[in-house]
Amino acid sequence: MKFISTRKDPAETSFKDVIFRGLAPDGGLYLATEQPNLSDLISTFSGETEFSAMAAELTHALFPEDFTLEQATAIAKSAFTFSPRISRADGNIDLLELYHGPSCAFKDFGASFLAAVMEHFLFGENKRAIILTATSGDTGAAVAQAFFGKENIDVVVLYPGGRVSPGQERQLTTLGDNVHALEVRGSFDDCQRMVKEAFTNKNLKEEFPLTSANSINLGRLLPQSFYYIWASVQGRGSPIRFCVPSGNFGNLTAGALAKLWGMDAEGFIAATNANDVVPEYLEHGIYTPRPSIHTYANAMDVGNPSNFERLQTLFSHREMGDLISGFVVTDDEIIATMERYYKKQGVFICPHTACGILSSERYLKAHPGWNGRIISLSTAHPAKFTEVCQKACGKTPEVPAPLARAINGEKKSTIIGNQMRDLGIFLRETLGR
Ligand SMILES: *Cc1c(COP(=O)(O)O)cnc(C)c1O
């Protein structure tokens, strides 16, 4: 597999360069020059195939020139010490639980794979890497966990001060060691812009081996396709549609790629919170990025989704409309859905998952004759959002062990301004050589 920027630069790039660069030099995002057909391989998988074994085979099939099956198996085993699970939600809706990893959110899948692949490439070369990542909550936690303690790698996480939940902040700030948490006086969009500017800044790039672990990094995006394929194999027999709670649209893009590779699925439902630029585009064909709005589903508070550029490169407006149905969920509806779900099922769901559940229900209502099943992605453990659970259900869920460890740790962070030069100063003072 070779990769090319979504913008002008026609140079074909290897997977190794793609994962260490993150963003393409022309500011674009990388995509494969052509999408492979993996339907033969996928048809050999059964409901019994273990997730990490499936991930190993898919990794080898995607990158035969980079990883032997043996190497791919070692990477998958090191990355995926946890698996997705499927549970019945209600009626024709299943939940794909993606929160059984170390940070209790789906981003563990991408971050752990990226960390394992980078370690593989850096191994023996005595090279160093600095992972620079902006987070609205869950990315940073997953990346911090995945890279924590890795040799020759530092992680710098930028997050908007006061805009992530206390639990998320603990996960970012209590690890220490090679994980540096920067509390930015600004919004998530500021954090994302600072990271983007750092990657296109010549001086910084010459001084530091900067690399990204955001959903712009294909090394994080591609392994997310694996759980779609795993779930489609579990759900074989009826038409499937995936519902994806979306912010930067990395998760949905990963699903769309899996479908291009031959995964059996009819299409996708994009569930957003009040940050509705993509549903608006699907409906009217006009894409209007705007500042993000703060909501209860804060990992989806994105006003200019970075992966939209990939979707637009892959699909025309009409194709995207055929593939994806968009639904918008307000804060009041998030609370009402969490409450209703808890009362009916006795189970807590996180606010992002609630956007997915309500959107799935709306899709079914709008398509009464459809005889398929919706697999709705459950993107984070509800215990990461105790305040919202308390408000919606009057109770809070039990805290899983990895979260409990973070909550009991000591917060260590550095407060910085919202300009790229503030980030540059931090890098020179802390990681300069
Ligand atoms: C990141 C995140 C999302 C949004 O995923 P994107 O790939 O940015 O669209 C949804 N839910 C949770 C819990 C997340 O952490």
Side-chain angles (χ1 to χ4, degrees), residues 88 100 127 142 233 246 317 428 431:
R88 175 65 53 91
H100 300 289
K127 279 197 181 145
V233 170
S246 295
H317 174 247
R428 290 192 176 107
L431 298 171

Side-chain angles (χ1 to χ4, degrees), residues 105-107 138-139 215 224 245-251 299-300 350 352 379-380 385:
F106 81 86
K107 294 187 175 80
D138 282 340
T139 304
S215 52
Q224 292 179 27
S246 295
N248 263 318
F249 280 76
N251 210 359
M300 292 157 47
C350 91
H352 314 81
T379 51
F385 305 91

Side-chain angles (χ1 to χ4, degrees), residues 353-371:
T353 304
C355 293
I357 294 277
L358 186 62
S359 301
S360 299
E361 291 169 351
R362 286 185 176 158
Y363 181 89
L364 288 173
K365 215 174 231 166
H367 300 82
W370 187 62
N371 64 347

Side-chain angles (χ1 to χ4, degrees), residues 18-204:
V18 161
I19 68 158
F20 283 105
R21 276 185 204 163
L23 208 63
D26 65 358
L29 283 74
Y30 283 111
L31 273 174
T33 49
E34 54 190 315
Q35 301 301 331
N37 184 340
L38 304 180
S39 26
D40 285 350
L41 174 62
I42 294 172
S43 69
T44 67
F45 297 147
S46 80
E48 309 298 302
T49 314
E50 261 185 49
F51 177 73
S52 89
M54 203 181 274
E57 296 219 32
L58 289 165
T59 301
H60 173 60
L62 288 170
F63 310 107
E65 63 282 12
D66 294 292
F67 312 113
T68 63
L69 182 58
E70 204 182 352
Q71 289 171 329
T73 303
I75 287 168
K77 277 215 173 113
S78 132
F80 302 121
T81 53
F82 51 92
S83 303
R85 295 180 201 165
I86 288 193
S87 59
R88 175 65 53 91
D90 194 13
N92 288 341
I93 305 171
D94 291 324
L95 273 186
L96 178 57
E97 298 177 6
L98 299 172
Y99 53 72
H100 300 289
S103 82
C104 301
F106 81 86
K107 294 187 175 80
D108 286 327
F109 286 89
S112 295
F113 182 84
L114 180 65
V117 167
M118 282 188 172
E119 197 175 39
H120 170 89
F121 282 134
L122 290 170
F123 183 75
E125 286 188 33
N126 200 24
K127 279 197 181 145
R128 136 178 128 119
I130 297 174
I131 313 291
L132 195 55
T133 188
T135 184
S136 54
D138 282 340
T139 304
V143 168
Q145 291 283 351
F147 286 93
F148 175 59
K150 288 246 185 287
E151 293 282 325
N152 300 332
I153 303 182
D154 279 284
V155 184
V156 178
V157 184
L158 287 78
Y159 70 96
R163 311 251 185 116
V164 304
S165 77
Q168 285 174 328
E169 185 173 36
R170 294 258 130 199
Q171 286 190 299
L172 298 175
T173 57
T174 55
L175 286 167
D177 189 22
N178 64 330
V179 176
H180 313 274
L182 299 185
E183 191 173 344
V184 173
R185 284 191 230 97
S187 68
F188 171 63
D189 290 333
D190 290 330
C191 298
Q192 210 168 23
R193 173 183 44 80
M194 289 161 76
V195 167
K196 269 203 169 191
E197 282 176 18
F199 281 120
T200 45
N201 183 293
K202 261 205 143 75
N203 294 338
L204 273 188

